[in-house]
Amino acid sequence: MGDNSGATSTAADDLLLKQFFAEVSEVERDNEVNRILSCFKLNAFEYLNLPFDSSIDEVKRQYRKLSLLVHPDKCKHPQAKEAFSALAKAQQLLHDPSEREYLLNQVNAAKEELRAKRKKQLKKDTASKLKSLVDEGKYEQEYERSEEFQQQLKLKVRELLTDQEWRRRKMQMRISEEEGRLKKDEEETKELWKRKREHEEQWEGTREQRVSSWRDFMKGGKKVKKGEIRPPKLKTEDPNKSYVQRPVKRG
């Protein structure tokens, strides 16, 4: 019974959507494309034109509606494809638990800042302060649902998201610079080892020549060629030995 009810609801939604798009003019499609393309790029809720407390089901329904509105096959706007892609990306982000949590954390931080600012303002306005105390928070709840507060919240969320994105990019830039420095150091070290190996190979390659030259040097200089007469070595007298001088024959 419940399954039939769900199917009937879906069929009714489809019928309503068909009727809606049958009545939508080309101008309205173009306006929606322009709205999407002018959205703040870091806020997925803004692309889908949804409040920050929207549920996943509301995200699905809104995406379906807007994507059909700006679909390149149905919309003649030259940037319809770009708007369609932006909607798809926004919907994916809001379905990602970590991305959605990050965005909602920024929304909550923005609310806290606006509440603190309003609290300071109420201290100066006695009438508003008393009213806030009497209705036990209903006065503030009504204010946060107002168009004024929602517009302030939207701008504050933009501010916080921009600040976070700037921090992220600076961090990424520092990481890239450090990676570049490490890569340069690694390349310089490789080049140093390459030169050292080349020097060692060159030194080893001339080993035989160096050994041969040293042997020749130890033998007394120039190497004697085959067939060449070596001059006799001169004898040196040892001063520690006694020598007998032979008599010289006189003629």
Side-chain angles (χ1 to χ4, degrees):
M1 184 77 178
D3 291 341
N4 292 333
S5 177
T8 304
S9 178
T10 303
D13 288 345
D14 290 342
L15 182 60
L16 284 172
L17 273 176
K18 287 179 181 178
Q19 290 173 348
F20 170 74
F21 289 119
E23 297 169 3
V24 171
S25 67
E26 199 61 43
V27 173
E28 289 173 305
R29 292 180 186 275
D30 288 350
N31 288 342
E32 184 58 22
V33 170
N34 293 330
R35 185 198 68 79
I36 292 168
L37 296 179
S38 66
C39 285
F40 179 58
K41 296 184 182 298
L42 302 175
N43 187 351
F45 285 105
E46 194 170 324
Y47 275 108
L48 292 169
N49 202 18
L50 284 171
F52 294 118
D53 57 356
S54 299
S55 66
I56 291 295
D57 287 338
E58 288 171 328
V59 169
K60 289 179 181 178
R61 285 196 296 271
Q62 184 74 342
Y63 169 69
R64 187 159 177 259
K65 176 182 174 181
L66 297 183
S67 62
L68 287 172
L69 190 63
V70 300
H71 196 285
D73 292 343
K74 300 178 184 296
C75 181
K76 295 178 182 179
H77 194 288
Q79 291 179 288
K81 187 176 181 180
E82 188 178 339
F84 183 78
S85 298
L87 284 177
K89 184 178 179 181
Q91 185 249 172
Q92 287 173 358
L93 285 173
L94 292 178
H95 275 81
D96 184 311
S98 60
E99 292 288 345
R100 185 183 177 89
E101 182 182 9
Y102 167 74
L103 186 52
L104 291 178
N105 283 341
Q106 303 311 308
V107 172
N108 291 331
K111 282 182 178 179
E112 289 304 315
E113 284 194 32
L114 292 175
R115 285 167 182 164
K117 182 180 177 182
R118 179 164 170 78
K119 191 174 181 180
K120 288 181 181 180
Q121 291 173 342
L122 287 176
K123 284 182 180 180
K124 299 176 183 179
D125 185 354
T126 308
S128 297
K129 184 179 179 181
L130 288 171
K131 190 174 182 181
S132 177
L133 291 170
V134 170
D135 64 15
E136 297 179 350
K138 291 181 182 178
Y139 179 65
E140 291 306 307
Q141 290 174 7
E142 287 176 8
Y143 173 72
E144 291 188 8
R145 285 195 292 267
S146 69
E147 186 63 32
E148 179 187 354
F149 180 83
Q150 291 302 318
Q151 186 60 30
Q152 288 179 358
L153 180 61
K154 184 177 177 181
L155 294 175
K156 179 56 70 173
V157 169
R158 282 190 182 190
E159 181 185 323
L160 295 182
L161 286 172
T162 300
D163 184 57
Q164 290 296 327
E165 179 64 13
W166 174 240
R167 290 171 185 270
R168 186 192 67 79
R169 290 189 184 187
K170 280 204 298 186
M171 182 61 69
Q172 188 59 48
M173 187 166 54
R174 287 176 185 171
I175 291 171
S176 297
E177 288 173 354
E178 182 64 16
E179 287 176 346
R181 187 185 68 77
L182 291 174
K183 186 176 181 182
K184 184 180 178 182
D185 289 347
E186 185 182 354
E187 288 173 353
E188 287 177 352
T189 303
K190 285 181 179 178
E191 182 63 25
L192 188 65
W193 278 106
K194 181 182 177 184
R195 288 178 184 176
K196 185 178 179 181
R197 281 197 305 270
E198 288 175 352
H199 176 72
E200 289 174 351
E201 288 171 2
Q202 186 180 7
W203 178 258
E204 187 63 27
T206 58
R207 181 173 179 277
E208 290 298 326
Q209 181 183 348
R210 285 184 285 106
V211 170
S212 178
S213 298
W214 176 251
R215 284 172 180 167
D216 291 345
F217 174 75
M218 294 301 291
K219 285 177 182 177
K222 187 177 179 182
K223 188 177 179 181
V224 179
K225 295 180 181 178
K226 190 175 181 181
E228 183 179 355
I229 299 173
R230 184 188 294 273
K233 290 184 179 179
L234 295 175
K235 292 183 178 179
T236 56
E237 291 182 356
D238 188 345
N240 297 321
K241 290 183 179 180
S242 59
Y243 292 89
V244 178
Q245 186 176 359
R246 292 181 183 183
V248 177
K249 292 182 181 182
R250 299 182 182 275

